[in-house]
Amino acid sequence: MNTIDILNKWAKFSKYEPNKNTWKAGSKQYELDKDNEVIATIMKYDSSSVSTCLYAKHIFKKHVSDKKFSILDILNNNYNISENVKEMWELFNSIEIIDFEKNLLEDINTNIDNISKNREIGDIKSEIDIEDIMDIYGTVIEDIDSCNYEVYNKGKNGEGNFVTNDLIYIFNSLKECILTIENSKDGIYLCFINNHETFNYFALVVKDGENIYSFNDRLDEKYPNQYMKKRLPGRDASRGKIFSLFPYDNEELFELGGVDYKGYSTNYKINNKNTMSIFQLGRNYYLPIVISMSIIKNAFVGKEIEGNITYLFNLAIKSSNNMLMEATKNQMAKSSVLNNYKDEIFEDFNTKGFLKGNYGYILKDYGRESQNTNQILIDLYSGNYQEDKINFHNKLSKNEILKVTEGELVGDQGKIKSIQYWLARRNLAEHIEKEMENELKKFGGTEGLNRWYRKKIKDNIDNLYKAIAEGKWIGEVSKMHDIWDMKWEKSNIMQLIDLSADSIDLHEMWHLRTVIGDSDERNNRYCPITGSKASIVAILRPQTWEDVAKLIGVDKDELPKLVKGWKYHQEYIGNSILDMIDPVEEIKHILMPRCENSFSFKIAIYLSKRGYAQICKKYNEDGNVNKFWINEN
């Protein structure tokens, strides 16, 4: 009976149901189902199904070891063992399976000898048995499966010797790592990418002839430098580092400083800047790595490589080694990995279409599709924007350092295009923000804007009185405010408040720049029409720049460039910390609330009730006065 037949028997014995999604927690079947999921994962990397069968045996032994018998049962040979259990035991202990176990154990121990080059690190063969391997085999397989599988180059398989060794190689970038491996012997290399004090990761990099690929636990950034963003913990941003496979918690290798909620180290400083042997770390660290190298070699080396090409672009390259940096200059020209990036992986943005946001769909699969909510700011401030900041792919394709961000761009063709668009739009956003600052300076800052706005309001005061009398901008009426217990009319732009109400919160009006109505030393306000003490205040709250045009009585196109595009509220476009969001959509108008140069276009017009009655009689056709302050309830 072959291994596939044995696994089919095991599936029936363990009542395996693929895609099962409901379990009885804590039951034996639940444990078996979870173990079978691991077995299914192992099969993805085990074409011979030998290792899968051996792991199934390991699970079977764990399952039957829970059975308990009394001494009396043993004396009476009364074990009540089912025929199914006996059959599985016989199958898992057949001569073929025993031979497979011996071969796997010998293979692992041979790999350890080859990797260690027979250095004195203990009596390996007597220390490691098949159960030691199987105890962690499932975890190692799951760790490999959860790694990023990235292919950097495809071609012919190697024909010479395939080497593995015990050293941990330290690089400051993935690009530097791959460039070095490309010029090394065929083999599997354990590398540590240390391109930032906190943004670092391990990679098992394989070179097999022209094929270069890796299994790494780099956290997938939605956009460049996402790792530098700080946010409240407790929300899932990405999976954590793989501690059970890679030696992140080993104090021989790292000065540990804790781990944040994303899985990024808060401080991982390499104790040893030079290469270091995994055998110096201890058996709990080297054995998973040795097993993983064996699994990867058997599953991938010498076979046709599948998967899309992952592209690498260094944006702030530093070398951990001056000699390597010199070698890098010569190697880059010869590198098949770095020269396989043709211009077609980038997008040639038509300048007009780019500025109109026609390429927003590019972000759809890697973030949030752009809705182009700030088009007016683009139209106003992109006039002298340089085209080479939109289509900078020529620099990227020639492997030049592009100082638009730190770190690396890593991803498939679609992601590189989305990052290209994101970076270009970020450049555009920075340009727009700078141009808005220049426009504000031309206006004399917020003080200059304040003088202009107050004059425009006073010039248009009669029209504002008329609007108050007619209730022109008043919307839904609310007779009583639940919180402040004041009588008012709620509106889209205008609100009338009775100052004689029992409890009024006038905090909002303390910060208004534009107030119509004189005040005394006690902060009492007086009606500009009658001169009497004010008992009513009309608050006009424009929400957009079009509303501002209404308040000063001009067409919106006549507004100064600085005011155009202003709005009180920013539309929600998504979480720019968690997703790749169009940077232009994140721009806040320079005068918006909570910005450094925020400006309030709110107006407070104080009136006495007699003054209010006068403007109602003057501007209302029927002369009626809306006595909104009377509580009709």
Side-chain angles (χ1 to χ4, degrees):
M1 185 175 287
N2 60 34
T3 53
I4 295 297
D5 294 330
I6 294 174
L7 287 171
N8 286 333
K9 285 280 188 181
W10 166 253
K12 186 176 180 180
F13 172 82
S14 61
K15 300 177 182 178
Y16 175 57
E17 296 179 31
N19 305 317
K20 185 176 181 180
N21 53 20
T22 57
W23 296 273
K24 184 178 179 181
S27 66
K28 291 291 183 185
Q29 188 58 48
Y30 172 80
E31 294 177 7
L32 279 173
D33 288 341
K34 289 301 178 185
D35 287 331
N36 278 328
E37 288 180 4
V38 178
I39 290 173
T41 303
I42 294 175
M43 292 189 74
K44 290 164 57 177
Y45 299 88
D46 181 24
S47 58
S48 68
S49 69
V50 170
S51 299
T52 314
C53 199
L54 296 183
Y55 190 75
K57 177 182 178 179
H58 176 71
I59 298 305
F60 171 76
K61 290 170 70 175
K62 184 176 74 171
H63 174 70
V64 298
S65 65
D66 292 338
K67 305 295 181 184
K68 296 181 180 179
F69 302 98
S70 67
I71 295 176
L72 186 60
D73 289 334
I74 296 172
L75 292 173
N76 292 324
N77 292 321
N78 184 22
Y79 303 138
N80 294 321
I81 300 174
S82 69
E83 292 300 320
N84 288 339
V85 173
K86 290 179 181 179
E87 182 184 13
M88 288 308 308
W89 178 254
E90 290 172 359
L91 290 173
F92 280 137
N93 285 278
S94 63
I95 295 174
E96 292 86 352
I97 297 298
I98 298 298
D99 287 341
F100 288 149
E101 287 180 331
K102 290 179 181 178
N103 292 338
L104 178 63
L105 185 59
E106 184 177 343
D107 181 53
I108 295 295
N109 279 309
T110 300
N111 281 342
I112 291 174
D113 286 343
N114 291 337
I115 293 171
S116 66
K117 298 177 176 58
N118 294 309
R119 283 197 288 268
E120 292 296 329
I121 58 173
D123 189 357
I124 297 299
K125 289 182 172 60
S126 64
E127 289 180 0
I128 298 177
D129 60 26
I130 192 66
E131 290 306 315
D132 292 327
I133 296 170
M134 285 299 135
D135 279 341
I136 63 172
Y137 198 87
T139 301
V140 171
I141 280 285
E142 287 189 304
D143 288 344
I144 293 172
D145 197 56
S146 63
C147 280
N148 303 308
Y149 167 62
E150 295 178 341
V151 179
Y152 311 109
N153 200 56
K154 291 182 180 181
K156 297 179 181 179
N157 296 114
E159 297 177 356
N161 293 329
F162 192 84
V163 301
T164 50
N165 63 51
D166 61 324
L167 299 179
I168 301 172
Y169 296 92
I170 301 170
F171 299 97
N172 279 330
S173 70
L174 181 58
K175 188 174 184 178
E176 180 187 301
C177 168
I178 299 305
L179 189 62
T180 304
I181 300 300
E182 184 183 17
N183 291 277
S184 304
K185 295 179 181 179
D186 286 3
I188 303 179
Y189 300 87
L190 177 60
C191 304
F192 183 72
I193 313 302
N194 187 40
N195 58 2
H196 192 275
E197 189 171 285
T198 58
F199 183 56
N200 43 41
Y201 54 93
F202 278 100
L204 286 163
V205 184
V206 183
K207 179 175 184 286
D208 178 18
E210 295 176 350
N211 297 308
I212 301 177
Y213 48 95
S214 81
F215 297 83
N216 65 70
D217 66 340
R218 185 186 66 254
L219 292 175
D220 182 32
E221 290 192 302
K222 297 297 182 66
Y223 52 88
N225 290 350
Q226 185 182 18
Y227 72 93
M228 296 179 71
K229 297 280 188 178
K230 294 182 179 179
R231 60 186 299 280
L232 292 174
R235 293 173 66 185
D236 180 32
S238 188
R239 59 181 171 75
K241 292 181 177 294
I242 304 177
F243 285 81
S244 50
L245 178 58
F246 299 121
Y248 285 106
D249 57 351
N250 187 278
E251 295 183 4
E252 292 290 325
L253 187 60
F254 293 107
E255 292 178 15
L256 302 178
V259 179
D260 68 12
Y261 71 100
K262 279 186 177 180
Y264 294 116
S265 58
T266 53
N267 184 9
Y268 275 119
K269 290 185 179 179
I270 300 293
N271 276 331
N272 192 334
K273 291 291 183 181
N274 300 316
T275 52
M276 184 177 185
S277 169
I278 60 174
F279 294 110
Q280 292 177 246
L281 308 179
R283 175 171 154 177
N284 290 340
Y285 295 100
Y286 76 70
L287 189 55
I289 294 171
V290 171
I291 292 174
S292 67
M293 287 180 171
S294 179
I295 291 170
I296 292 170
K297 180 181 177 182
N298 293 333
F300 292 91
V301 174
K303 299 178 175 62
E304 183 178 351
I305 298 303
E306 298 179 355
N308 296 326
I309 291 290
T310 296
Y311 300 96
L312 311 174
F313 296 102
N314 244 106
L315 301 179
I317 188 168
K318 295 179 183 178
S319 178
S320 59
N321 182 304
N322 287 333
M323 289 179 62
L324 178 62
M325 195 61 187
E326 287 300 315
T328 298
K329 295 177 182 178
N330 299 322
Q331 292 168 359
M332 287 176 74
K334 302 176 183 178
S335 171
S336 59
V337 176
L338 301 184
N339 289 322
N340 66 358
Y341 304 154
K342 305 301 182 185
D343 286 349
E344 57 262 26
I345 74 165
F346 296 97
E347 190 77 34
D348 259 323
F349 296 124
N350 172 273
T351 303
K352 184 177 180 181
F354 174 83
L355 294 176
K356 288 294 182 183
N358 295 348
Y359 299 92
Y361 65 88
I362 289 176
L363 297 179
K364 185 176 181 180
D365 294 332
Y366 298 91
R368 290 177 68 95
E369 183 173 358
S370 175
Q371 303 301 315
N372 217 39
T373 54
N374 270 333
Q375 185 60 46
I376 185 170
L377 297 182
I378 299 175
D379 295 340
L380 288 169
Y381 296 106
S382 65
N384 59 347
Y385 188 62
Q386 297 175 16
E387 188 171 348
D388 62 356
K389 291 187 177 181
I390 298 173
N391 291 311
F392 48 69
H393 60 286
N394 289 328
K395 292 184 179 180
L396 286 172
S397 62
K398 292 176 182 175
N399 305 305
E400 295 178 6
I401 299 172
L402 183 65
K403 294 181 179 179
V404 291
T405 184
E406 296 178 1
E408 294 181 287
L409 304 185
V410 180
D412 60 15
Q413 180 173 332
K415 185 163 187 178
I416 293 297
K417 284 185 177 182
S418 70
I419 290 175
Q420 182 200 0
Y421 179 75
W422 183 86
L423 288 172
R425 293 283 281 189
R426 193 182 73 170
N427 287 342
L428 176 60
E430 290 174 354
H431 172 82
I432 290 171
E433 288 171 341
K434 195 168 291 184
E435 288 296 304
M436 280 197 290
E437 289 177 7
N438 293 336
E439 193 65 27
L440 181 60
K441 287 177 183 177
K442 291 178 186 176
F443 222 94
T446 53
E447 289 304 315
L449 179 62
N450 187 42
R451 290 191 294 271
W452 169 83
Y453 189 53
R454 287 175 63 85
K455 181 180 184 305
K456 288 294 183 180
I457 290 298
K458 288 181 179 179
D459 290 347
N460 194 48
I461 192 66
D462 287 339
N463 288 327
L464 293 178
Y465 287 153
K466 182 179 180 182
I468 293 170
E470 294 175 347
K472 187 174 182 180
W473 298 312
I474 292 179
E476 179 184 356
V477 174
S478 175
K479 291 297 180 184
M480 189 70 69
H481 195 284
D482 295 336
I483 300 175
W484 297 328
D485 190 30
M486 63 185 179
K487 303 158 189 173
W488 65 323
E489 289 184 346
K490 187 177 180 182
S491 69
N492 296 326
I493 298 179
M494 186 170 68
Q495 189 179 91
L496 298 178
I497 299 177
D498 176 12
L499 296 174
S500 64
D502 294 335
S503 176
I504 301 175
D505 186 348
L506 298 180
H507 179 269
E508 175 186 26
M509 287 176 278
W510 295 347
H511 304 283
L512 295 183
R513 290 177 179 265
T514 309
V515 178
I516 306 298
D518 294 333
S519 63
D520 59 22
E521 67 278 0
R522 296 184 179 180
N523 288 324
N524 293 315
R525 290 286 179 176
Y526 294 88
C527 175
I529 297 174
T530 64
S532 304
K533 186 176 178 180
S535 53
I536 296 171
V537 61
I539 300 179
L540 293 94
R541 300 185 184 89
Q543 301 298 306
T544 66
W545 61 286
E546 290 97 335
D547 292 341
V548 173
K550 292 178 184 178
L551 296 186
I552 65 174
V554 300
D555 186 83
K556 64 179 184 179
D557 293 333
E558 297 176 40
L559 283 174
K561 181 179 179 180
L562 177 63
V563 180
K564 291 178 180 178
W566 174 87
K567 50 192 171 185
Y568 187 76
H569 295 289
Q570 181 88 332
E571 296 90 343
Y572 179 74
I573 57 168
N575 191 325
S576 61
I577 296 176
L578 297 181
D579 289 310
M580 189 186 292
I581 303 293
D582 185 347
V584 175
E585 292 194 317
E586 291 188 88
I587 298 175
K588 287 188 175 182
H589 192 283
I590 195 170
L591 303 176
M592 277 186 66
R594 291 176 292 280
C595 292
E596 183 179 352
N597 296 292
S598 63
F599 185 87
S600 175
F601 288 98
K602 293 177 185 176
I603 305 169
I605 300 178
Y606 286 87
L607 298 167
S608 64
K609 290 180 181 176
R610 186 158 53 91
Y612 175 67
Q614 287 182 22
I615 63 173
C616 286
K617 289 175 182 178
K618 180 178 179 179
Y619 293 110
N620 287 342
E621 290 183 3
D622 54 12
N624 288 335
V625 178
N626 177 17
K627 297 183 178 182
F628 66 91
W629 55 85
I630 297 177
N631 186 358
E632 298 178 357
N633 293 336

